[in-house]
Amino acid sequence: GDRLLQQPQGPVMTGPGPDLVIREAVSADLGPVVQIERRSFADAWSVEALFGELQADAMRLPLVAEVQGEVAGYLMAWLVADQLHVLNIATDPDRLRRGVGTALLLEAARRARPRAQRRPRPLRARAQRREGGRAGRSARRPTRALPRPEGALTAPGISLRVNTVMPGAKGTRRSRGPS
């Protein structure tokens, strides 16, 4: 009976509050991003790698979370086909368990969804539609349910997979402090 009345162990997540702003990262964010990276991971990315991922383009999606004007976290992702690949995400260790990381992931998924929906259809499917498709068959292949890989999160119109290794690096990232 006593177990049912026990309080949760460890820190409890609180909301990020109304002062949270999530925006596209810019190169001026490099300093705070490097500080958070070094405080968060035993095997921190190099300054050059972080700077490269802060350069937004058609594939890269760098975001920062600000609380009261200070960078509280960041997310670096790639949009490849209809998948959002999260390469790196961290929250300032002094602001853990306040919803900053969750807010970054949700905003990345929100921004990626329109891009994924705009992607062109494969050339073969377009050519088959132009030619009227195959006799008695749909030009599209039937879809089938595939097992969801570990670390993957799916939502209508987008697939999100969290990578724990920097592209080209060996091993798994190790966090400093509580998970």
Side-chain angles (χ1 to χ4, degrees):
D2 290 337
R3 292 183 127 188
L4 295 176
L5 300 176
Q6 289 179 347
Q7 295 296 317
Q9 298 295 316
V12 176
M13 187 171 98
T14 60
D19 296 330
L20 178 73
V21 174
I22 301 199
R23 61 172 174 77
E24 191 169 284
V26 294
S27 33
D29 295 318
L30 182 62
V33 166
V34 168
Q35 289 177 352
I36 292 170
E37 174 77 8
R38 288 181 177 164
R39 292 183 64 207
S40 299
F41 299 106
D43 57 345
W45 282 15
S46 70
V47 173
E48 294 80 15
L50 291 167
F51 181 77
E53 292 304 323
L54 283 176
Q55 310 308 308
D57 59 26
M59 182 179 73
R60 289 182 178 87
L61 178 62
L63 299 174
V64 293
E66 287 185 336
V67 175
Q68 297 177 344
E70 292 184 19
V71 175
Y74 63 88
L75 176 141
M76 296 172 182
W78 290 352
L79 185 62
V80 181
D82 63 346
Q83 295 184 353
L84 178 67
H85 291 262
V86 176
L87 304 172
N88 198 348
I89 182 170
T91 300
D92 183 327
D94 295 334
R95 297 182 189 270
L96 292 176
R97 309 293 301 161
R98 295 187 187 147
V100 174
T102 300
L104 282 163
L105 282 170
L106 291 172
E107 181 63 13
R110 186 190 72 76
R111 290 182 185 213
R113 185 172 286 123
R115 291 187 194 181
Q117 291 170 346
R118 285 194 312 255
R119 73 185 173 107
R121 294 181 186 258
L123 292 175
R124 192 164 89 190
R126 285 187 287 189
Q128 287 175 350
R129 273 195 313 282
R130 251 192 333 266
E131 296 166 6
R134 295 183 212 160
R137 288 186 176 176
S138 168
R140 293 187 63 180
R141 289 186 194 163
T143 58
R144 59 188 169 113
L146 297 174
R148 192 170 78 197
E150 187 176 332
L153 183 106
T154 58
I158 193 96
S159 171
L160 171 73
R161 181 169 185 138
V162 179
N163 295 328
T164 57
V165 179
M166 182 177 163
K170 295 181 181 176
T172 302
R173 298 203 68 195
R174 295 177 310 279
S175 172
R176 295 180 194 242
S179 54

